[in-house]
Amino acid sequence: MRMAIDLDTKINAGFRHDPFSAELFDHAVDDHAAIVEAIAAGDATEAGRLCEEHFRYTTIVTPH
């Protein structure tokens, strides 16, 4: 259990992600897809903007 929590903390940059709502999950999936597209297109500025927007949304939205 401790190893799973340690790994989870490291891959999520220390941000808690549970519990989360279906709405938050769907929003995060869309965000991740857009971030990958920006990276694939070589648009670092857009990828950075999208990451910042994603972190703001996912850390402010209250889980249901």
Side-chain angles (χ1 to χ4, degrees):
M1 180 70 144
R2 278 184 291 189
M3 191 165 53
I5 291 170
D6 183 51
L7 180 60
D8 185 63
T9 300
K10 287 178 180 165
I11 63 173
N12 286 298
F15 293 104
R16 295 293 303 164
H17 59 80
D18 57 327
F20 55 84
S21 67
E23 174 190 353
L24 181 56
F25 178 82
D26 291 342
H27 192 279
V29 168
D30 291 343
D31 286 354
H32 293 171
I35 292 164
V36 168
E37 287 178 22
I39 292 169
D43 191 342
T45 301
E46 179 66 358
R49 185 191 70 74
L50 290 167
C51 284
E52 182 177 348
E53 185 178 289
H54 171 72
F55 286 123
R56 288 183 191 278
Y57 182 83
T58 57
T59 58
I60 292 172
V61 172
T62 303
H64 298 107

